[in-house]
Amino acid sequence: MSALSKVDKNMRILVVDDFSTMRRIVRNCLKQLGFTNVKEAVDGAQAYDTLKQEKFDFIVSDWNMPNMMGIDLLKAVRADEELKTIPFLMVTAEAQKENIIAAAQAGVSNYIIKPFDSDTLTTKMEAIFKKLV
Amino acid sequence: MSPDKEHALQELVDALGKGDEGRIQELLNQLEIKSHSNVYERIGTMARELHRTLLEFNQSMSSENVTMHSTTLPDAVDKLEEVLKVTFQAADKTLNSVEEQNTILSSSYEALGEALETLKPDNIPDETVRTTLKEMLEAERERVERSLAINNEIMMTQEFQDLTGQALKKVIKLVQGMKDNISALIEIFGAEDLPPVQVAQESEQALDENKLDQGDVDSVLKDCGF
């Protein structure tokens, strides 16, 4: 049985991207996997405020955004006692080796390069939940 | 910088791009720029480069998008921002349609499933009729599934808007920066070195060449203990 099939489908997911098109695509992909309890934020700063106000179980974030970059959001989340255990999936067009190493060092749960397909998202989420379940 | 001087500098940049020597000299005199031929030549090259890029940009726009071609915009930054807006609208409209159609298809899928559940001997005693109906409903459900899969592909294709949008934002910044650099250069005339516009472009290219694909990313993640 897959790890994805065991997790609570009503978990709260925060999708962070400055492009609404990408937020909708990620939201739709998550819907296909059965996750419908999704909220959106337009940048890292708004995401961090939202995370401090509401409880979330999973974060999907872009890297390159105004106000607060995804990598800075990741660092802020990992440095925050209340938030540090939330799985954090980076979905980004930033595809330099340095980016991936920086994200890994900051505690990213997994990393997807844009453009991606729904199978890649499924595989990465499966890998993340396999470690947690 | 005074509005008059700024206006004159903008005119100078335009004249340099057009190669209008008479007007260039007039403006240089007006701006009290007399003897910096080397810098002048380099600025001219930059301005012509910018002018040519804008012309090529206009030509590519006209061949690829009739709507954009008919839209007269004052400068390249505005045009790029218009492209950003139009591609966003197109992607948004496509996603609206896909989502609406997915709702309809999902309802059909559920209804077909419920109909299949009713195909029992108590309801339809004739086995031949029952089997025929079952095959028909199952075939229809497969078609709905296929349609949902196609919709998914259409939806994922809209990623282009995010990727091209990010690239456009970088180009907008670059064009804006180049304009600002030229104005600043003329203002401080006499400086030996030009801002590294070309170097910045080369760096961008170098970065692009170093980009990894998902397979490479997974290898790096594996090395990092994932």
Side-chain angles (χ1 to χ4, degrees):
Chain A
M1 190 185 253
S2 72
L4 264 180
S5 63
K6 291 181 193 166
V7 298
D8 177 13
K9 290 293 191 305
N10 201 37
M11 69 162 60
R12 296 210 71 205
I13 300 177
L14 184 62
V15 175
V16 193
D17 201 306
D18 55 330
F19 275 80
S20 63
T21 309
M22 189 50 70
R23 292 199 302 273
R24 285 179 75 177
I25 288 172
V26 173
R27 185 190 268 269
N28 274 297
C29 286
L30 291 169
K31 191 179 171 188
Q32 284 169 17
L33 293 172
F35 299 102
T36 53
N37 202 353
V38 178
K39 192 162 183 173
E40 298 176 10
V42 299
D43 58 42
Q46 193 188 70
Y48 191 69
D49 286 346
T50 307
L51 285 162
K52 292 302 282 178
Q53 286 165 21
E54 300 170 42
K55 187 183 173 301
F56 284 90
D57 307 296
F58 198 89
I59 301 165
V60 182
S61 178
D62 184 23
W63 181 303
N64 197 8
M65 295 178 289
N67 300 322
M68 189 190 218
M69 303 277 244
I71 186 69
D72 296 323
L73 173 65
L74 171 61
K75 287 174 183 171
V77 166
R78 292 293 178 250
D80 190 310
E81 276 303 313
E82 290 174 354
L83 310 173
K84 67 181 182 185
T85 57
I86 303 175
F88 194 114
L89 176 61
M90 193 76 84
V91 181
T92 174
E94 299 299 329
Q96 313 297 324
K97 193 175 179 181
E98 294 75 15
N99 297 122
I100 296 132
I101 290 170
Q105 285 171 342
V108 79
S109 305
N110 222 313
Y111 200 104
I112 293 178
I113 295 295
K114 295 175 185 173
F116 68 103
D117 55 30
S118 50
D119 289 344
T120 305
L121 181 67
T122 308
T123 306
K124 294 298 180 182
M125 287 187 74
E126 172 71 24
I128 291 170
F129 288 122
K130 204 171 173 181
K131 284 185 180 174
L132 298 175
V133 176
Chain B
M1 186 172 23
S2 70
D4 284 350
K5 195 173 177 187
E6 193 173 354
H7 180 71
L9 285 170
Q10 185 58 56
E11 272 199 75
L12 177 59
V13 171
D14 293 341
L16 285 164
K18 290 172 189 165
D20 185 348
E21 298 293 338
R23 186 65 185 142
I24 291 167
Q25 200 50 56
E26 265 179 48
L27 288 160
L28 287 174
N29 291 338
Q30 187 184 330
L31 289 161
E32 296 177 332
I33 298 167
K34 292 188 171 70
S35 58
H36 294 84
S37 59
N38 186 34
V39 179
Y40 160 77
E41 190 182 321
R42 294 172 79 178
I43 293 170
T45 304
M46 286 173 73
R48 277 189 290 277
E49 191 70 25
L50 180 61
H51 187 68
R52 194 175 66 239
T53 304
L54 297 182
L55 280 175
E56 284 171 3
F57 177 71
N58 274 334
Q59 283 162 3
S60 68
M61 293 272 285
S62 57
S63 63
E64 288 179 12
N65 192 312
V66 175
T67 308
M68 289 177 201
H69 173 69
S70 64
T71 310
T72 307
L73 295 164
D75 61 28
V77 171
D78 281 352
K79 282 191 174 177
L80 289 171
E81 281 173 348
E82 181 68 9
V83 174
L84 204 57
K85 191 174 114 191
V86 171
T87 52
F88 165 73
Q89 286 169 344
D92 197 50
K93 205 171 172 182
T94 306
L95 285 174
N96 286 342
S97 302
V98 167
E99 283 173 1
E100 195 181 338
Q101 199 175 34
N102 271 352
T103 305
I104 296 166
L105 289 168
S106 296
S107 298
S108 297
Y109 189 82
E110 278 179 31
L112 288 164
E114 285 166 12
L116 276 163
E117 287 295 311
T118 64
L119 296 182
K120 293 188 173 137
D122 287 349
N123 300 329
I124 305 166
D126 188 321
E127 192 180 344
T128 311
V129 174
R130 215 168 53 236
T131 305
T132 307
L133 278 172
K134 187 170 179 276
E135 284 171 1
M136 283 171 67
L137 290 173
E138 281 176 345
E140 189 56 30
R141 204 159 64 156
E142 273 177 30
R143 281 192 281 273
V144 170
E145 270 183 318
R146 179 72 193 125
S147 299
L148 281 165
I150 291 168
N151 270 3
N152 185 42
E153 284 171 26
I154 295 169
M155 182 187 73
M156 295 307 294
T157 308
Q158 304 314 305
E159 275 185 276
F160 86 90
Q161 197 273 325
D162 174 273
L163 299 170
T164 55
Q166 287 190 30
L168 282 173
K169 279 187 175 179
K170 281 183 184 171
V171 176
I172 288 169
K173 205 173 162 186
L174 186 71
V175 173
Q176 193 64 55
M178 199 167 172
K179 277 179 163 181
D180 294 345
N181 277 336
I182 291 169
S183 297
L185 258 178
I186 295 170
E187 190 177 8
I188 59 169
F189 236 55
E192 295 272 326
D193 300 317
L194 289 170
V197 174
Q198 189 62 35
V199 173
Q201 285 173 327
E202 283 166 4
S203 300
E204 284 278 335
Q205 274 179 350
L207 280 174
D208 283 345
E209 282 163 11
N210 290 333
K211 277 191 174 178
L212 307 180
D213 61 21
Q214 188 65 51
D216 297 329
V217 170
D218 290 346
S219 297
V220 176
L221 288 172
K222 200 175 171 187
D223 292 343
C224 292
F226 279 76

